[in-house]
Each structure stands twice: as C-alpha cells, then as structure tokens.
C-alpha cells in the first residue's frame, strides 16, 4: 500500500495535471522527497530553503493539520491520506502580516 | 469579468460590515468550470485582526472537501480591508494560491459606502477586472457593470520568494 496525496490546482503543473498521486515515506519529509523524485520541483513549493514547511501551503494527514503533528517530522503509515491545500491568507498591511508569519513560525517550531 | 448575483454581494458586504473593524473573509463556491459563484460560505478569520486574515486550516479542509464532493470549486475568494482601499496588498499576492479564483476585495473604511473590486492574481501578477452585478431576483437582463479605474489594470509585484 502507498500514501495517497491530493494535489491542489496550483501545483498540478508538477503532476501532469493529476489531482491525486501516490507516494511513500515514513515521515512527511520522506514523502515529499519521494514525490519530488517523480514530480520535480514540487518540494521547492512545499519546503523553504531553510527546511521548514512553506507558509503558503496547508498540509493535512488524514484529518489533521501537520503543523500539530510535528510538521515535516509527522509520522506516516501506509494507507494514510495526505491533502495539500493553498493557505488562504492576506490582509491590508505587509508588516502586520510579516509579524503574524513570524509568530506562526515560532509557534510551529515550539510545537515540534 | 466577474459576474455575481446581487444577493451574494449583499451577503458579502453584510459579513464585512459585521466583522468590521476586523477583516472578514470567505469563499463563494460554484460548479467546476462554470465561472459562476453560487454558494456563499463566510469563513472565520483565524487571525481576528484589523490588518490580516487567515482561514482556519481545519475549517478550510472541511469546506474544500465539501466543494470537492459537490463538484464545486472556489470561484470567488473574498476579504475586506477595513481602513484602506480595496486593492490587493503584497501579502495578498504572496498568498494567492487559487489561480482560477476571482479575488474580491471589499473596503469598509467609509461607513456609508463600500468599495468592491475584483482581481485575478496569477504568478504574482495582479489584473483588475470589471464586476458585473446581476439582479437575478428582479430581471436577469437588468445588469449594472462598473470598475474603479483609479489604478493601473496590471501590477507586477515581482514576488521573488515564490
């Protein structure tokens, strides 16, 4: 068995238009590396150069946001379903958003 | 061009007014490929902020799955700016992750009037589009079309971090 991964519209250019692809890995990081070996470029859209999950995407394992499961260290099992969605966020002022992103990154790290 | 029923615009404006001075946000779903917004879904602003909005990730998963099951997609993604114009900020552009969606902005900075504008945001490029309000309840042919033209139709923010 493998892990089913649901790909959002904006990233389907990396999967030949496929809405669902399969992959494998013991952690989310492993799964993303596995996907990237067949769908080159996908990893860069999910993981920052600093090696953390991008702020612009939400990733879920089954029904849980991976930010509450250890982010890239989240453990995966065969038969799990992973869903990727574009994070929907924004707002009037860049500096406030930057502060919110910074505090989110801190809380994400703290949760690991 | 965004064509949208007046009753949906009224509901979006009411949501924006209700949450003012915090930013309000939500989605209008429609059948896949129809480019027609039909189902208004007000969302929680998890940031509860006057200058930032963010969908709650669990609510978003639920709503996106529901759209999937109903063969719908997010035709409109809207939010309000409560002290500034209805024009996408750099933050809005960085996050714009639905290339097929109309990004609708409502400004509630004036107490008596709302500024409503719609944009496509693809690969960091903002393109303003006219909003056509359809009065389905009264007369489907009675339409009003307008666009606020005080800014250039296309702005490239060069989002180098994407």
């Amino acid at each position: 068995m493998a892990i089913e991964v649901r790909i959002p519209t904006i990233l389907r250019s990396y999967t030949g238009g496929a809405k669902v692809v399969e992959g494998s890995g013991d952690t989310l990081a492993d799964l993303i590396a596995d996907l990237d070996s067949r769908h080159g470029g996908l990893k860069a859209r999910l993981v920052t150069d600093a090696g953390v999950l991008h702020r612009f995407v939400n990733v879920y394992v089954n029904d849980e946001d991976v930010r509450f499961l250890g982010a890239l260290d989240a453990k995966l099992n065969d038969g799990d379903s992973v869903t990727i969605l574009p994070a929907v966020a924004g707002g009037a002022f860049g500096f406030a958003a930057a502060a919110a992103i910074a505090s989110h990154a801190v809380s994400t790290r703290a949760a690991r | 061009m965004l064509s949208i029923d007046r009753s949906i615009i009224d509901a979006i404006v009411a949501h924006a007014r209700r949450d003012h001075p915090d930013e309000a946000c939500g989605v209008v779903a429609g059948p896949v490929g129809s480019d027609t917004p039909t189902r208004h879904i007000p969302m929680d602003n998890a940031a509860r902020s006057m200058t930032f909005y963010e969908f709650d990730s669990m609510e978003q998963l639920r709503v996106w799955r529901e759209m999937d099951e109903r063969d719908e997609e997010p035709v409109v993604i809207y939010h309000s700016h409560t002290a500034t114009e209805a024009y996408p900020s750099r933050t809005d552009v960085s996050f714009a992750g639905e290339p097929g969606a109309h990004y609708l902005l409502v400004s509630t900075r004036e107490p008596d009037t709302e500024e409503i504008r719609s944009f496509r945001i693809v690969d960091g490029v903002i393109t303003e589009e006219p909003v056509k309000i359809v009065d389905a309840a009264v007369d489907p042919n009675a339409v009003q079309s307008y666009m606020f033209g005080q800014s250039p139709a296309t702005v490239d923010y060069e989002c180098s971090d994407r």
Side-chain angles (χ1 to χ4, degrees):
Chain A
M1 281 224 295
I3 296 160
E4 177 191 272
V5 185
R6 304 185 78 82
I7 305 291
T9 310
I10 195 166
L11 298 181
R12 286 180 201 156
S13 54
Y14 298 95
T15 60
K19 195 173 169 179
V20 179
V21 297
E22 288 198 340
S24 60
D26 292 335
T27 64
L28 181 60
D30 293 344
L31 174 71
I32 290 172
D34 175 55
L35 293 176
D36 197 66
S37 69
R38 270 164 288 120
H39 309 290
L42 197 54
K43 182 179 176 182
R45 300 297 299 270
L46 302 175
V47 180
T48 67
D49 292 341
V52 297
L53 208 51
H54 237 298
R55 186 67 187 82
F56 304 116
V57 290
N58 291 336
V59 182
Y60 307 86
V61 176
N62 301 322
D63 293 327
E64 282 290 330
D65 186 330
V66 293
R67 291 193 174 93
F68 303 114
L69 299 174
L72 288 170
D73 297 328
K75 295 273 179 278
L76 299 175
N77 295 299
D78 276 355
D80 278 346
S81 172
V82 170
T83 301
I84 303 169
L85 294 181
V88 183
F93 292 122
F95 67 83
I101 290 166
S103 72
H104 185 99
V106 168
S107 65
T108 303
R109 275 198 293 276
R112 290 170 70 180
Chain B
M1 157 100 75
L2 168 66
S3 289
I4 186 165
D5 195 88
R6 180 177 300 280
S7 63
I8 295 174
I9 286 288
D10 288 349
I12 289 171
V13 168
H15 180 204
R17 284 289 174 204
R18 200 159 62 236
D19 286 8
H20 185 93
D22 284 351
E23 293 195 3
C25 55
V27 175
V28 189
V32 170
S34 71
D35 202 30
T36 303
T38 54
R39 190 166 65 91
H40 174 220
I41 310 163
M43 303 283 286
D44 282 343
N45 176 1
R48 296 191 197 290
S49 160
M50 296 189 283
T51 54
F52 191 62
Y53 82 96
E54 180 176 28
F55 284 6
D56 174 82
S57 66
M58 296 313 295
E59 183 182 30
Q60 188 189 349
L61 178 65
R62 197 166 64 242
V63 167
W64 255 245
R65 277 195 181 152
E66 190 180 69
M67 284 193 284
D68 231 24
E69 283 157 14
R70 297 167 62 119
D71 286 323
E72 290 175 336
E73 60 189 355
V75 179
V76 171
I77 293 176
Y78 72 88
H79 75 281
S80 62
H81 285 176
T82 58
T84 56
E85 66 173 335
Y87 194 82
S89 66
R90 282 166 189 270
T91 318
D92 293 334
V93 176
S94 311
F95 274 96
E98 291 286 358
H102 302 267
Y103 284 88
L104 189 78
L105 275 92
V106 178
S107 173
T108 54
R109 65 177 163 177
E110 301 292 339
D112 304 323
T113 58
E114 292 82 25
E115 187 188 8
I116 299 166
R117 296 165 71 178
S118 182
F119 306 86
R120 296 286 191 170
I121 308 176
V122 180
D123 294 333
V125 179
I126 303 170
T127 309
E128 183 156 15
E129 59 181 1
V131 178
K132 183 165 122 182
I133 296 187
V134 183
D135 239 328
V138 182
D139 174 0
N141 296 316
V143 296
Q144 178 185 329
S145 179
Y146 60 87
M147 173 168 153
F148 296 86
Q150 61 269 62
S151 34
T154 301
V155 172
D156 186 348
Y157 273 155
E158 295 173 30
C159 287
S160 53
D161 56 343
R162 288 209 65 166

